[in-house]
Amino acid sequence: MTRVGVVTFPGSLDDGDALRAVRVAGGEAVSLWHDDPALHGVEAVILPGGFSYGDYLRCGAIARFAPVMDSIVKAAGDGMPVLGICNGFQILCEAHLLPGGLTRNQHLHFRNRDQWLRIESVGTAWTGSYEAGQNILVPVKSGEGCFVADEQTLDLLESTGRVVARYVPGPGLSEEGYNPNGSLRDIAGISNEAGNVVGLMPHPEHATEALTGPSVDGLGFFTHVLGHLGRVSA
């Protein structure tokens, strides 16, 4: 069974949900501890949502220096799939595994709601179970979810197909208010050049079971990485 690690930092909130999503998808969920550099034989890593180290300094700025992150940065460079969700996305940017950064929502309010996304890139280790242009519904919950980067970086992400998902209008979301945080070019998620590292501000782990989520649309992130790893190791 494919082993997928989920890191717990002081202040993580969604590590349990990410572990459950891995199990629902059919993988073996492995808890990783921020102060332990060992990855314990996992084949992929998820950095979950929450408020790592209380979000002091900047969101993710302290977590970037956790002992486990040294191992994750090296493993990502060697091709290991890594998914950062919400605070995990912020950590990936602070660790320079992804470009740009996440700042306060432009309206300065915490946004917590079900959110429509359009999957733009299916060429990553996490998104290949979707179709390009497919709309999915997953929760978003963040106060510092506004993705920013300079125009050159934004153009590079667009031209190389590294925008993974965008905020889009949908039922319950107005044409003016569909972007929950003011992210530039409506960007909800991006990948690195190799496609093994993905950062996503909304929460697919909260949309894996009909009983608790607004949909099961998020499950594809977790099932695909298991299939991807199975093909790589075959």
Side-chain angles (χ1 to χ4, degrees), residues 159-180:
S159 65
T160 55
R162 291 168 55 190
V163 176
V164 169
R166 293 185 208 273
Y167 303 111
V168 294
L173 301 178
S174 69
E175 286 290 337
E176 296 79 21
Y178 65 85
N179 184 325

Side-chain angles (χ1 to χ4, degrees), residues 115-122 126-138 163-169 215-221:
Q115 176 68 49
W116 287 96
L117 307 177
R118 182 173 66 236
I119 300 296
E120 301 281 26
S121 172
V122 297
W126 298 90
T127 56
S129 66
Y130 300 101
E131 296 182 2
Q134 180 178 347
N135 286 0
I136 66 172
L137 181 65
V138 300
V163 176
V164 169
R166 293 185 208 273
Y167 303 111
V168 294
S215 72
V216 295
D217 292 348
L219 186 59
F221 283 88

